Amino acid sequence: MDLGGELPAPRFVRADVRVPEDVERLISGFERLDVVVNNAGGSPPAPLVGTSPRLHAKVIELNLTAPLLVAQRAYPLLAAVGGAVVMIGSASGARPSPGTAAYGAAKAGLHHLARCLAAEWAPHVRVNTVVVGLAATPDAAAHYGGHDVDASAIPAGRPATPEDVAAACLWLAAPGYVTGAEVRVDGGGEVPAWHLLTTAPP
């Protein structure tokens, strides 16, 4: 694709990506598709006990079923140009996620889905995952139970920013060899409990 000239105006389509008919309407509007970033997701605090089974089902639909539907419908267009899918995963899918168990389970499934599609669709379409750790966004406090992100829990000394995540997405979206990978954007991970044992004064 020649990006040297003037870029076309962005086109916005309102769609519920959990609904196959909406996904069809969304993707059918493209004549060419080079990259899909599956970034719809999230969850309110939802302890397993005392919350509606419907809520947990909707969380799983948004974070796992929806990316599957979008990737499936986009595949023919992506394969025609050697395109790429970038899944937005989460550290919650790689370690316990108390209070958001359905979300963590869905993200773990998303990570596995990406690896499956990378193997199934190679060499025509690359599929990778950006695994995001603690992140600073306008609604971060709501996601973390009303608390601000504690930078002391991150080896890099600060949470990820949207720009950090975007940089990883752009790298994975560019033509290349990497597929089936999980790129962690977590500042070195969350400081584990054993770190306290190695740094505590004698």
Side-chain angles (χ1 to χ4, degrees):
M1 177 181 288
D2 180 14
L3 299 180
E6 183 176 347
L7 294 175
R11 181 174 65 91
F12 297 95
V13 179
R14 184 172 182 174
D16 185 340
V17 289
R18 297 170 299 183
V19 178
E21 293 78 12
D22 274 20
V23 173
E24 173 64 30
R25 179 171 55 83
L26 172 65
I27 303 298
S28 64
F30 292 96
E31 295 181 1
R32 173 177 175 145
L33 196 56
D34 291 82
V35 180
V36 167
V37 178
N38 268 313
N39 68 330
S43 173
L48 200 60
V49 175
T51 51
S52 164
R54 179 176 171 80
L55 171 61
H56 296 297
K58 290 296 183 183
V59 168
I60 293 170
E61 286 179 10
L62 178 60
N63 291 279
L64 179 57
T65 305
L68 184 153
L69 293 174
V70 171
Q72 180 186 44
R73 178 57 185 85
Y75 173 78
L77 290 170
L78 294 169
V81 296
V85 176
V86 180
M87 305 290 197
I88 302 300
S90 171
S92 294
R95 48 102 170 119
S97 181
T100 54
Y103 172 77
K107 287 299 187 181
L110 180 67
H111 301 170
H112 186 72
L113 173 66
R115 292 191 298 270
C116 289
L117 296 184
E120 186 172 330
W121 291 353
H124 308 293
V125 175
R126 294 179 301 107
V127 185
N128 294 290
T129 304
V130 176
V131 181
V132 183
L134 296 172
T137 61
D139 61 348
H143 180 74
Y144 299 124
H147 303 288
D148 291 331
V149 178
D150 183 3
S152 67
I154 306 167
R158 66 170 180 84
T161 65
E163 291 77 14
D164 294 323
V165 178
C169 290
L170 287 170
W171 179 67
L172 291 172
Y177 178 75
V178 176
T179 191
E182 294 179 6
V183 176
R184 302 188 67 88
V185 181
D186 59 7
E190 298 164 25
V191 175
W194 56 256
H195 179 74
L196 300 177
L197 299 177
T198 62
T199 58

